[in-house]
Amino acid sequence: MNLTVKECDILVIGGGGSGALASLEASEHRELRIILASKAPIGQSGLTPTANGGTKAIGAPDELFKDMITGGSFLNDQDIVWFMVNEIQNALEKLKRFGIPVAPLRGKSVCVPSAEALKRLRAHILQRPNIELLEDVLITRIFRSDGDEWTTTALDLATGEFFIIKATAMVIATGGLTGELYSHSSNNPFGVTTDASGTGHVMAYLAGAELIDMEMIQFVPLPANPRCLHLRYFPDFWVGPYQNRFGETIESNVSSYPGESYSYLFVQKFYRELEKGNGPIYIDQRNLGQPEQAPVIQSWEQRIKLIKSLGIDPRENRIELLLGSHFGMGGIRVNPNTETTLPGLYAAGEVMGGVHGGMRLSGYSLTQMIVFGFEAGKQSAHYALRKRKFDGLPHESIEEERERIFRFLKAKSRPVSVIELKNRLQKVMGDLVFVLRDEKGLTDALKEIGAIKSQVSNIGVPTSKRFNLEWIRAIEFSLMVEAAEIITTSALARKESRGFHYRRDFPNEDNQKWLRHTVAKLEKDCLKIDLAPVVLERLNPAGVP
Amino acid sequence: MNQEITVLVFRFDPDQDKEPRFDEYRLRAEEEVSVLVLLNRIQQEIDHTLSFRSYCCGLQMCGSCLMKINQKKRFACITLVRPGERVAIEPASYPEGHIKDLVVKMEDQK
């Protein structure tokens, strides 16, 4: 088998903000050759372009720190958070040097127009002679070679060519994982996917990295009609009032909750109301005056016009709500320098764990993206500069992966489609691994996930290799189902309730036993969950010495 | 209002086809639906061979779903089609930068 092998010092995977910033930062070292691989053009994949722009950055670092740690129910990695809140001002200064406007928004937030920012970053990337930008390239697996060098298998989506990228260091910046696992998700504006499929989490795990606190998934109220998802960008809308189907107010104003409408306490209350049969829940603002506008956000006028043209102005319509997935707090285990537990492997952005603990507060994910995007670029460059080179490729692993990928194209006697399996997966996740969980449900979920996993090899796709959307979805699904298994197994292991992880059978937060991270890793080809204590160096919960 | 929407889609796979063609799909819809959602439904429920850029940023800013809809360049994510209507969908450019069906290469704006 003759395969094209591309070589570089640093491979950055992911075309969102973290990946773009990591590659630009690393490329400051002109002697390093960097490849940035993204499954779509930069700015046209992942969650960065969907962000509202709010970035928490203003105020004393220790205040931001305290907000995050108490918001996260003390499950955050305090070193990572401390680093982030102290570094954000620096990082924003660097961002401005790329010509990206950073304007004060309100409270502790500034506005970083994320879609616009990615367009500008892409232009900078194209100008850097030492960055090779590979767009429409899907990384399918990563392998750690004996000498701590990294090899990846890749698919050029435009042609269907399978090839290899060899790198001394690698940055995983593949974003979130919750959008595809639940049928309703903020990650899917207008009901269309952002492909935040968790492939980076799983590829790192399969290569031997550890994933922490994967059970922690943020669920939030969302408009039931996908077309209304645009309302997510109107923070004032989410204040309330929330009413049940009898017109009774279940919450008049969510501002009193830490995290507001993104609060796990409010979301659990919402869910219980649905369980009691009092749903659907609505926000009814037809009697309120016109909202105050936030002219700082670019294109605000356009947004107002859009909700009117889509017929979803909340001042004219009662908006029906559902709960859906929003953000994964868990992720690849790293230290503040974005180093994973494997030498030469770095992770930045939503794919990294430890930042938000049990609950992400709004505005902190762009802070995470900016700070750790730059940091991963810096650290991976230092690694690549001091590392000896090794030759050799893991030929057997590459061949196995090639066979696995191309097997989807072969004719099957009883083929199943991706959507069939994805619907099954979303059903089990929505039924049993959602807002309120228990041992029986999670155990049943694992059985069903196992059954779905065993069907993956029966997925059949059309045979043309050129931009074969169904093939891409099959490859991603094969990793997504692993992510579901890891999340569910981690949720089964955490026998307490904390942040967004609520166990009916263990309804209390247990600071004596459970100030610990769940640590998912692959051992002898099996998923194993270990526990690791949370380091409480700077701030302790009440009653914990 | 449960009626059919008729969708004509430009199809061309340079590796397999001699020339481009239009395929016609009919979908039932209860209310207005965006072109991007229609394409997703066609790809998932009717014809797995259809290729398009299925990404949506939700802010009509990323440009991923720019295509020719009834001969005008529009964003498929916010272009709504009513039950009973007919819509023709073509790639944003052809043959320049065309990859397959509705997928075109992103232009480099250096």
Side-chain angles (χ1 to χ4, degrees):
Chain A
M1 191 74 207
N2 257 338
L3 291 175
T4 304
V5 180
K6 283 181 171 284
E7 289 188 33
C8 62
D9 296 299
I10 302 168
L11 170 63
V12 180
I13 308 173
S18 295
L21 294 175
S23 52
L24 283 165
E25 180 74 7
S27 74
E28 295 287 339
H29 300 272
R30 295 300 151 122
E31 66 273 44
L32 292 178
R33 293 158 308 151
I34 291 131
I35 290 179
L36 172 57
S38 172
K39 62 185 173 185
I42 303 296
Q44 298 185 355
S45 76
L47 294 166
T48 307
T50 76
N52 210 6
T55 305
K56 285 285 193 314
I58 298 172
D62 54 343
E63 276 177 39
L64 297 174
F65 178 82
K66 201 177 162 202
D67 286 352
M68 285 188 74
I69 302 294
T70 51
S73 300
F74 290 85
L75 192 62
N76 326 53
D77 182 306
Q78 297 197 358
D79 287 343
I80 294 179
V81 176
W82 188 249
F83 180 86
M84 182 171 109
V85 296
N86 280 284
E87 189 59 25
I88 181 61
Q89 284 301 333
N90 265 339
L92 285 175
E93 286 308 311
K94 278 199 215 164
L95 196 65
K96 286 183 201 164
R97 274 177 236 146
F98 290 115
I100 293 164
V102 177
L105 189 58
R106 55 179 176 185
K108 294 172 183 165
S109 294
V110 295
C111 182
V112 176
S114 54
E116 178 59 29
L118 274 182
K119 281 182 192 159
R120 295 195 186 199
L121 293 176
R122 184 176 186 272
H124 284 283
I125 287 164
L126 290 172
Q127 281 167 1
R128 295 274 164 113
N130 56 337
I131 303 181
E132 184 180 357
L133 177 59
L134 300 180
E135 294 180 317
D136 292 325
V137 165
L138 181 71
I139 303 297
T140 71
R141 275 292 284 272
I142 61 181
F143 301 99
R144 179 186 175 196
S145 313
D146 293 337
D148 289 337
E149 233 190 8
W150 294 90
T151 303
T152 66
T153 48
L155 200 60
D156 180 337
L157 300 180
T159 60
E161 190 203 352
F162 181 82
F163 67 102
I164 306 301
I165 306 173
K166 247 178 85 175
T168 309
M170 189 149 66
V171 177
I172 301 191
T174 48
L177 84 164
T178 72
E180 301 280 287
L181 291 175
Y182 295 89
S183 59
H184 208 63
S185 174
S186 70
N187 296 7
N188 303 341
F190 300 109
V192 177
T193 173
T194 45
D195 301 321
S197 49
T199 52
H201 295 73
V202 176
M203 289 192 297
Y205 156 82
L206 293 174
E210 297 176 350
L211 303 177
I212 64 165
D213 304 327
M214 291 294 284
E215 68 280 9
M216 291 298 177
I217 294 176
Q218 187 160 38
F219 302 104
V220 297
L222 295 167
N225 181 337
R227 203 205 301 165
C228 301
L229 272 171
H230 199 71
L231 288 170
R232 171 167 104 69
Y233 299 106
F234 292 75
D236 292 335
F237 169 71
W238 293 102
V239 170
Y242 293 79
Q243 296 175 349
N244 63 21
R245 75 183 161 105
F246 305 111
E248 296 163 347
T249 300
I250 64 161
E251 196 60 64
S252 56
N253 185 330
V254 293
S255 305
S256 56
Y257 290 88
E260 302 176 359
S261 69
Y262 289 4
S263 150
Y264 65 90
L265 290 170
F266 175 62
V267 167
Q268 287 162 9
K269 182 175 183 177
F270 188 122
Y271 187 85
R272 290 201 168 92
E273 196 68 17
L274 296 177
E275 263 195 339
K276 279 186 261 172
N278 296 343
I281 308 295
Y282 301 90
I283 286 181
D284 191 345
Q285 299 182 332
R286 287 173 296 182
N287 297 322
L288 301 184
Q290 283 307 305
E292 275 181 46
Q293 299 194 353
V296 208
I297 296 184
Q298 279 185 339
S299 71
W300 189 259
E301 297 293 322
Q302 195 185 2
R303 292 184 191 187
I304 304 263
K305 233 167 76 187
L306 186 64
I307 61 165
K308 288 199 186 291
S309 74
L310 290 170
I312 56 172
D313 186 342
R315 292 305 198 260
E316 290 161 19
N317 304 272
R318 185 171 71 154
I319 306 294
E320 184 184 332
L321 307 174
L322 284 175
L323 294 175
S325 65
H326 184 58
F327 193 91
M329 276 78 73
I332 301 173
R333 190 178 195 185
V334 289
N335 65 13
N337 301 125
T338 71
E339 293 168 325
T340 68
T341 46
L342 303 176
L345 186 68
Y346 299 80
E350 189 175 338
V351 73
M352 67 193 283
V355 176
H356 306 286
M359 175 171 81
R360 184 204 68 117
L361 298 173
S362 62
Y364 285 98
S365 32
L366 287 187
T367 311
Q368 173 183 17
M369 170 188 98
I370 297 162
V371 168
F372 295 110
F374 280 123
E375 185 64 16
K378 179 178 151 188
Q379 297 296 341
S380 60
H382 287 171
Y383 181 89
L385 286 168
R386 64 172 188 258
K387 181 81 173 70
R388 262 178 61 208
K389 295 268 193 266
F390 289 84
D391 296 322
L393 289 170
H395 291 286
E396 243 175 68
S397 307
I398 290 169
E399 190 48 32
E400 260 175 47
E401 177 63 4
R402 200 185 63 83
E403 271 180 27
R404 188 182 81 86
I405 296 302
F406 283 80
R407 207 177 296 138
F408 289 118
L409 298 168
K410 290 193 177 137
K412 310 279 184 323
S413 54
R414 296 168 73 187
V416 290
S417 68
V418 179
I419 190 66
E420 204 178 321
L421 293 185
K422 198 191 271 187
N423 285 343
R424 263 177 81 180
L425 187 65
Q426 290 185 343
K427 176 154 185 11
V428 67
M429 295 303 281
D431 286 349
L432 301 175
V433 197
F434 200 38
V435 178
L436 306 184
R437 306 160 172 183
D438 59 39
E439 182 172 331
K440 181 174 185 309
L442 294 169
T443 311
D444 289 349
L446 278 177
K447 277 184 212 145
E448 170 68 355
I449 293 166
I452 296 167
K453 205 167 141 178
S454 70
Q455 286 291 311
V456 167
S457 57
N458 295 330
I459 294 176
V461 308
T463 52
S464 172
K465 292 199 270 293
R466 181 181 281 260
F467 209 100
N468 184 335
L469 184 55
E470 190 70 1
W471 191 22
I472 301 167
R473 288 180 165 169
I475 294 167
E476 294 211 291
F477 184 81
S478 68
L479 298 177
M480 202 188 303
V481 69
E482 302 267 356
E485 185 180 21
I486 296 166
I487 288 166
T488 309
T489 310
S490 302
L492 197 56
R494 182 176 293 281
K495 295 179 170 40
E496 65 147 0
S497 293
R498 182 181 301 272
F500 268 96
H501 173 72
Y502 186 92
R503 288 279 300 257
R504 293 176 205 266
D505 41 354
F506 299 97
N508 298 319
E509 191 175 276
D510 182 351
N511 282 337
Q512 300 309 315
K513 279 193 204 150
W514 279 103
L515 280 168
R516 298 184 195 205
H517 302 291
T518 56
V519 182
K521 57 180 166 188
L522 195 63
E523 247 180 47
K524 293 177 187 147
D525 288 334
C526 283
L527 167 59
K528 185 165 177 280
I529 308 288
D530 281 344
L531 301 173
V534 179
V535 179
L536 301 163
E537 265 182 9
R538 294 187 169 81
L539 196 61
N540 284 3
V544 175
Chain B
M1 249 220 320
N2 190 352
Q3 293 175 42
E4 270 183 356
I5 292 175
T6 307
V7 189
L8 286 164
V9 186
F10 177 97
R11 302 297 308 270
F12 185 49
D13 179 347
D15 291 342
Q16 303 206 326
D17 304 329
K18 284 200 181 116
E19 54 187 33
R21 65 176 190 278
F22 278 88
D23 280 352
E24 185 178 302
Y25 305 93
R26 287 158 191 254
L27 296 104
R28 294 210 78 81
E30 286 178 18
E31 56 167 10
E32 290 177 310
V33 51
S34 76
V35 168
L36 198 55
V37 169
L38 281 173
L39 290 172
N40 245 318
R41 281 186 54 193
I42 293 169
Q43 195 276 337
Q44 291 180 334
E45 297 165 20
I46 307 174
D47 186 347
H48 295 328
T49 67
L50 176 65
S51 294
F52 62 104
R53 291 195 184 274
S54 65
Y55 177 74
C56 180
C57 77
L59 285 171
Q60 51 173 5
M61 285 184 77
C62 75
S64 170
C65 68
L66 188 70
M67 46 188 85
K68 276 189 201 156
I69 300 170
N70 291 336
Q71 274 141 31
K72 278 192 186 154
K73 275 193 190 178
R74 296 173 196 269
F75 291 118
C77 65
I78 54 157
T79 305
L80 299 176
V81 186
R82 289 195 189 87
E85 286 184 343
R86 187 181 167 88
V87 61
I89 309 171
E90 297 165 82
S93 75
Y94 174 82
E96 302 77 28
H98 182 258
I99 297 175
K100 178 175 178 256
D101 297 342
L102 301 171
V103 182
V104 295
K105 198 174 178 319
M106 174 138 173
E107 288 168 34
D108 283 349
Q109 300 144 334
K110 289 211 181 190

